[in-house]
Amino acid sequence: MQITLKNPLDMHLHLRDGALLDVVTPFSAKSFAAAVIMPNLTPPIDSLHKAQAYKQAIKDSIHSYAKAHKQPLESFEPLCALYLSDSLTPQELESCAKHGFKLLKLYPKGATTNSDNGIAQVLDSKSYEIFSAAQELGIILCIHGESGGFVLEREMEFGAIFRELATRFPNLKIIIEHISDHRTIPLLEEYDNLYATLTLHHITLDLSNLAGGALCHHHFCKPVLKTPKDKQALLDLALNAHSKVCFGSDSAPHSLEAKQKGAAGIFSAVGLLPQLAELFHKHNALHNLQAFVSDNAMKIYDLACWVQAAQAWEDNPKLITLEQAPYKIPESIRVLDSNLTPLRAGEMIAWREIESKA
Ligand code: NCD
Ligand code: ZN
């Protein structure tokens, strides 16, 4: 059995910088037509200048890899998001929008990896000025929605903020990033301008996979994995390709040493599409995979309107063919003198990627 996906999109991806960028980027660039690249570097990507430089660094890295490996990876489009820090002004946001950077990422201060420069008060006049400018400029607001409360209640507690922002800025598109709690799902029905990205790990794993046996730090991420009920409700959204939800892996690589010290983030970029195909096939939902990994995001983010590369995708699509055949996820991926452990490291997957047309 085979399936060919047209222009797969990963709407939430961490590529990092330096040597890590060079090692992890090809996994995504091979399989996806584009990805939303998260800006939580040190220092954060919070100006036009930094966003342009980061985008160029990603493109250069892909170019070098493609040249060295004679692989046509160039068709991958990095959609770099801007980090909402205290120093980002409405004027800077306007310059960003003019230059095609139309995604803004809000991290509540301290909520996750590299969020120290995030926003301490989401509901205050300074933040409202930014949201109002974003609304005017057609910028999409991507939010890591977690409070500082009890770890399993954080996303639920943030719900009040989602409601307030969705009401106050009705023309601002707001993405609930890596939705993880079934109690957040009704917000998607209640508010026209709320959408969500969904990871592979939140639809296949729960808290027992992190802490049910010996502690598995490779399954530690923010928002933390939740209950089987949450996992099932989110899996249903994915399998039905709910029109307000799209795929965003939140692949977030950390070195083995950092993971052992408690860094949050799951490196899921290796064999991602085969894992999704395996999952959708198992649940007789392969017919909905195209919508979940591409079509929904095209519509939600209106990509053809503001991403030049996307205008060519209809006539000249990136096609990724997957087939039902065994494929082993590598045990680890070397980066300089350290290692990364991918999601499902060393496991056999029932599907593999066979062919790509750039
Ligand atoms: C991400 C990272 O490592 O940058 N970590 C994570 O657990 N998901 C940040 C984030 O998206 O929260
Ligand atoms: Zn993330």
Side-chain angles (χ1 to χ4, degrees):
M1 182 176 286
Q2 286 194 352
I3 181 173
T4 296
L5 297 172
K6 207 168 116 179
N7 306 318
L9 303 169
D10 182 345
M11 302 310 281
H12 184 135
L13 177 64
H14 298 268
L15 290 181
R16 315 302 192 198
D17 52 8
L20 200 43
L21 169 75
D22 292 336
V23 171
V24 303
T25 302
F27 291 105
S28 300
K30 250 190 323 128
S31 306
F32 290 87
V36 172
I37 313 302
M38 289 296 149
N40 59 333
L41 304 187
T42 324
I45 305 298
D46 59 356
S47 69
L48 173 60
H49 176 72
K50 287 185 201 164
Q52 286 173 321
Y54 188 34
K55 183 169 180 172
Q56 194 56 49
I58 295 167
K59 290 198 154 188
D60 289 348
S61 173
I62 292 172
H63 182 70
S64 308
Y65 183 93
K67 221 168 130 193
H69 295 82
K70 300 198 170 49
Q71 275 193 30
L73 292 185
E74 255 93 341
S75 64
F76 176 75
E77 183 67 17
L79 306 170
C80 293
L82 291 152
Y83 188 116
L84 179 50
S85 71
D86 277 342
S87 58
L88 186 68
T89 62
Q91 293 72 31
E92 186 69 12
L93 208 51
E94 191 175 347
S95 313
C96 291
K98 273 195 193 132
H99 286 83
F101 294 94
K102 295 198 132 195
L103 300 167
L104 179 63
K105 178 71 190 277
L106 186 162
Y107 291 98
K109 200 179 183 67
T112 187
T113 307
N114 289 346
S115 60
D116 297 350
N117 295 290
I119 295 301
Q121 291 299 332
V122 180
L123 303 182
D124 77 358
S125 57
K126 184 159 187 275
S127 302
Y128 287 168
E129 265 179 45
I130 292 281
F131 303 146
S132 166
Q135 178 170 251
E136 286 296 305
L137 294 162
I139 284 178
I140 297 168
L141 180 63
C142 308
I143 301 186
H144 182 117
E146 289 198 283
S147 73
F150 173 61
V151 69
L152 290 175
E153 301 294 317
R154 287 178 184 174
E155 186 176 296
M156 202 277 290
E157 288 174 2
F158 201 90
I161 298 182
F162 280 126
R163 288 170 191 277
E164 179 64 25
L165 295 181
T167 307
R168 207 177 256 270
F169 302 98
N171 296 319
L172 178 64
K173 280 190 175 175
I174 300 172
I175 315 286
I176 301 173
E177 293 293 338
H178 38 53
I179 184 171
S180 69
D181 187 316
H182 77 277
R183 293 168 294 180
T184 311
I185 298 173
L187 296 187
L188 302 174
E189 308 287 352
E190 279 171 45
Y191 296 90
D192 285 349
N193 55 335
L194 288 184
Y195 304 85
T197 58
L198 196 46
T199 73
L200 174 62
H201 46 272
H202 288 106
I203 59 180
T204 52
L205 303 173
D206 60 45
L207 198 47
S208 290
N209 298 99
L210 168 67
L215 185 69
C216 179
H217 49 246
H218 299 302
H219 291 156
F220 177 54
C221 63
K222 299 287 177 70
V224 78
L225 296 170
K226 299 207 167 54
T227 68
K229 182 173 173 180
D230 293 305
K231 177 179 70 175
Q232 188 58 48
L234 297 167
L235 177 61
D236 289 344
L237 287 183
L239 296 176
N240 292 317
H242 188 294
S243 64
K244 298 196 82 184
V245 173
C246 61
F247 178 63
S249 68
D250 196 14
S251 176
H254 291 274
S255 69
L256 192 54
E257 295 72 24
K259 288 301 294 173
Q260 284 163 347
K261 285 186 198 147
I266 294 178
F267 177 40
S268 58
V270 183
L272 198 41
L273 292 177
Q275 292 186 61
L276 281 170
E278 180 189 57
L279 179 69
F280 275 62
H281 182 226
K282 183 173 139 199
H283 293 278
N284 294 317
L286 266 185
H287 55 285
N288 280 335
L289 187 54
Q290 173 65 32
F292 181 59
V293 297
S294 182
D295 302 350
N296 288 0
M298 284 297 287
K299 290 184 205 136
I300 293 170
Y301 297 75
D302 240 334
L303 291 181
C305 282
W306 59 276
V307 176
Q308 220 180 354
Q311 286 150 18
W313 290 341
E314 196 50 48
D315 297 332
N316 186 21
K318 183 156 177 170
L319 299 175
I320 302 293
T321 300
L322 303 153
E323 71 170 354
Q324 201 180 5
Y327 155 70
K328 189 177 177 201
I329 304 277
E331 293 281 357
S332 67
I333 307 287
R334 192 94 191 138
V335 186
L336 298 179
D337 55 357
S338 184
N339 283 301
L340 303 173
T341 305
L343 179 63
R344 298 185 69 182
E347 276 184 49
M348 291 302 288
I349 304 295
W351 282 69
R352 69 175 179 189
E353 202 168 306
I354 52 170
E355 176 192 321
S356 66
K357 182 174 107 33

